[in-house]
Amino acid sequence: MQRFQSYIGGEFSDGEARFESIDPATGAAWAEMPEAREADVDRAVEAAHNALYEGPWSKLTATQRGKLLYKLGDLVAENAQKLAELETRDTGKIIRETSAQIAYVAEYYRYYAGIADKIEGSYLPIDKPDMDVWLRREPIGIVAMVVPWNSQLFLSAVKIGPALAAGCTMVVKASEDGPAPLLEFARLIDQAGFPAGVVNIITGFGPSCGAALSRHPKVDHIAFTGGPETARHVVRNSAENLASTSLELGGKSPFIVFADADLESAANAQVAGIFAATGQSCVAGSRLIVEKSVKDHFLEILKAKAEAVRIGSPLDMATEVGPLATRRQRDHIEALVARSLAAGAKLITGGNALEGAGYYYRPSILDCDGSASPSLEEEFFGPVLSVLSFETEAEALALANNSSYGLAAGVFTQNLTRAHRLMKGIRAGIVWVNTYRAVSPIAPFGGFGLSGHGREGGMAAALDYTRTKTVWLRTSDEPIPDPFVMR
Ligand code: NAD
């Protein structure tokens, strides 16, 4: 069995306890992970604290920080295949996607490498004579980063990259469901030459490790990605340390198809939006809202595509849909499909798990027209599409906005003015028009409503890891006049 270690204060070590990680393709344990509990969390936060205030990190110039980030980007690119294999083994996400995604993660580090010495303060045209006043942008401090199991290297890069560019130090908690790629990534942090304690990487369980980290008194900011229920715990924990939070949560994203759209292209985008990554994507286009006149035809195309999907070992380059990451996830999907069918949804295809080892579930489509299916509101985080139809543009928009989530949306139409009206009207942090599931380090990512707040990616994300300090400098040599009047 492979063994992984945590990375605290520049040293690799075993945790206070250990736990086994399951290969979701077989359901069998394949690796041993270090379980951090309160004492390890404490050591990691102390290491980050020392690195921020005492170590060489605080004395580096922003350009030097950028150079370390470039080195890290290169190392990620060089080691992408190895990291991809680990992520595939530990989470079941297909190798076809992990290898491409992790190679692209390198670009996130390179993007933030370039930003490190472009974070500028400002000079204020103050309304008082003989006074120079300016704003310094300083690192927000020690950041706790808590990530889920899907796309861990990507979801951590959008936090670690801007936080390092801003000069922060951090403790990253890898998900207990598949921490291998992040624990291995710690070796690249070490190799890149970041001073000890700047980035600490641990893993452990939510109620012990995650809770201890998010309420730690020395944590200044919590960057969290996960489900809304867990986010509520995190926000409650932050009542202890009053840390600021950024929350990237779930979604129930609408995917709107008008009759004038290129239906073949829209169907491919819909497959990417709901079956890619076995639907375990926060931006999954999980609610298809299709114009009634093309509903049957579009569903025929989709059904054929869903049934032709190659399901198999995630380590095989030909596989298109791999297993779900955990048994818990498969059980949740089975239960939600059963509740939806009981509420009147009609099964178009799929609707069951595969026999045999591993947590496989068939790509599935539920026709929810005329029903109050819970699948229209609750997140599956799996390969299950819920379908509704509309007759007017206003109806399409109302259906799209009928969700407590607001992460992403897709609009498929050839009508330019309609596309503009919808992109303004949809309440979501990302709108894709005639495309879906495209991301870039240059483009901010984040949601509205139950999908959280805060944006990852782009320049603004680096600024979010800073806080301003206002400096007042009196330039007069005259003694300060009347001390009883506020200046
Ligand atoms: P989760 O919420 O169960 O867990 C996320 C992380 O929180 C894990 O590391 C877990 O250990 C930790 N955690 C659990 N309890 C905690 C507590 N009490 N205090 C502190 N930390 C705690 O999520 P998951 O099942 O691993 O991932 C799936 C969810 O993540 C989905 O809802 C999905 O939509 C969301 N997600 C969002 C985005 C985004 O960018 N918006 C991206 C990917 C996933």
Side-chain angles (χ1 to χ4, degrees):
M1 206 155 357
Q2 235 172 289
R3 278 169 75 91
F4 289 82
Q5 291 183 304
S6 45
Y7 182 59
I8 299 176
E11 283 174 10
F12 292 92
S13 59
D14 294 332
E16 290 168 67
R18 303 189 69 78
F19 66 95
E20 288 182 342
S21 202
I22 306 293
D23 176 345
T26 62
W30 76 282
E32 258 193 43
M33 302 297 170
E35 184 197 338
R37 294 179 184 168
E38 198 145 355
D40 278 340
V41 169
D42 210 44
R43 275 201 307 127
V45 177
E46 283 303 333
H49 187 266
N50 291 341
L52 184 65
Y53 295 109
E54 282 151 35
W57 179 246
S58 59
K59 296 174 189 67
L60 292 188
T61 62
T63 308
Q64 288 169 319
R65 289 203 301 271
K67 284 185 178 160
L68 286 173
L69 270 162
Y70 272 122
K71 183 99 187 283
L72 182 60
D74 291 346
L75 285 168
V76 170
E78 282 161 31
N79 290 276
Q81 196 52 31
K82 181 178 186 192
L83 293 168
E85 279 162 24
L86 285 175
E87 181 165 346
T88 294
R89 189 81 202 272
D90 217 11
T91 69
K93 186 166 181 166
I94 58 170
I95 192 76
R96 203 153 137 183
E97 178 157 12
T98 53
S99 32
Q101 189 181 45
I102 296 171
Y104 195 47
V105 160
E107 300 306 325
Y108 279 76
Y109 287 109
R110 290 172 177 147
Y111 174 79
Y112 284 107
I115 278 186
D117 58 7
K118 281 133 205 111
I119 298 174
E120 297 173 351
S122 56
Y123 182 82
L124 305 185
I126 209 74
D127 57 343
K128 301 183 192 319
D130 305 324
M131 206 74 92
D132 274 349
V133 182
W134 64 94
L135 291 185
R136 286 170 52 78
R137 282 218 174 250
E138 300 191 350
I140 201 167
I142 296 158
V143 184
M145 300 178 176
V146 179
V147 291
W149 43 267
N150 66 310
S151 311
Q152 274 187 82
L153 290 176
F154 171 72
L155 294 173
S156 54
V158 294
K159 300 173 176 58
I160 298 172
L164 287 173
C168 297
T169 61
M170 60 218 68
V171 178
V172 187
K173 180 200 152 330
S175 168
E176 63 274 39
D177 297 318
L182 251 177
L183 296 175
E184 183 65 26
F185 166 79
R187 303 207 170 263
L188 307 186
I189 292 278
D190 201 60
Q191 241 178 294
F194 285 93
V198 172
V199 182
N200 305 276
I201 302 187
I202 58 176
T203 187
F205 297 95
S208 47
C209 178
L213 178 59
S214 50
R215 65 166 173 251
H216 197 287
K218 287 190 174 161
V219 162
D220 300 291
H221 179 78
I222 307 163
F224 173 79
T225 300
E229 252 337 290
T230 317
R232 291 190 176 96
H233 285 292
V234 167
V235 171
R236 275 182 217 115
N237 294 342
S238 75
E240 301 287 322
N241 52 18
L242 298 181
S244 50
T245 56
S246 55
L247 308 172
E248 295 291 345
L249 312 178
K252 197 77 215 180
S253 300
F255 188 103
I256 311 174
V257 178
F258 285 90
D260 69 346
D262 176 337
L263 294 184
E264 183 60 31
S265 175
N268 276 342
Q270 178 67 90
V271 167
I274 190 65
F275 301 139
T278 319
Q280 301 168 112
S281 160
C282 53
V283 292
S286 53
R287 285 187 300 139
L288 167 62
I289 299 171
V290 58
E291 192 161 347
K292 201 162 256 166
S293 59
V294 291
K295 178 184 170 190
D296 290 347
H297 179 46
F298 192 64
L299 285 187
E300 245 169 62
I301 305 177
L302 267 187
K303 180 173 185 279
K305 287 186 188 287
E307 290 172 359
V309 158
R310 267 177 293 200
I311 306 176
S313 162
L315 282 162
D316 181 346
M317 264 315 240
T319 294
E320 293 166 334
V321 164
L324 295 155
T326 59
R327 178 193 296 269
R328 186 178 76 243
Q329 191 62 17
R330 191 190 60 190
D331 293 349
H332 159 70
I333 291 167
E334 282 186 320
L336 183 48
V337 166
R339 278 197 288 128
S340 302
L341 294 175
K346 288 181 219 63
L347 193 62
I348 303 285
T349 187
N352 60 333
L354 261 63
E355 298 285 318
Y359 313 136
Y360 291 89
Y361 197 89
R362 270 185 218 292
S364 308
I365 304 177
L366 299 175
D367 184 347
C368 299
D369 261 340
S371 79
S373 174
S375 67
L376 292 168
E377 177 60 21
E378 296 175 36
E379 192 182 28
F380 277 103
F381 219 57
V384 185
L385 178 67
S386 300
V387 183
L388 286 176
S389 61
F390 66 90
E391 286 183 74
T392 65
E393 183 184 314
E395 216 184 314
L397 182 62
L399 288 172
N401 284 336
N402 185 22
S403 169
S404 355
Y405 290 108
L407 187 53
V411 178
F412 289 77
T413 179
Q414 309 272 6
N415 181 328
L416 186 66
T417 51
R418 174 157 65 199
H420 274 270
R421 286 191 296 276
L422 281 157
M423 73 179 86
K424 278 189 215 141
I426 288 172
R427 292 196 291 271
I430 308 157
V431 180
W432 285 297
V433 180
N434 294 333
T435 186
Y436 205 80
R437 212 166 169 246
V439 292
S440 162
I442 302 161
F445 183 103
F448 293 10
L450 271 198
S451 296
H453 57 77
R455 293 291 178 267
E456 293 186 325
M459 175 73 185
L463 297 182
D464 286 348
Y465 284 98
T466 67
R467 55 187 158 200
T468 58
K469 181 181 278 175
T470 310
V471 183
W472 292 76
L473 173 74
R474 186 162 176 263
T475 54
S476 166
D477 290 331
E478 297 301 314
I480 288 181
D482 188 351
F484 296 102
V485 177
M486 199 178 182
R487 250 150 284 279

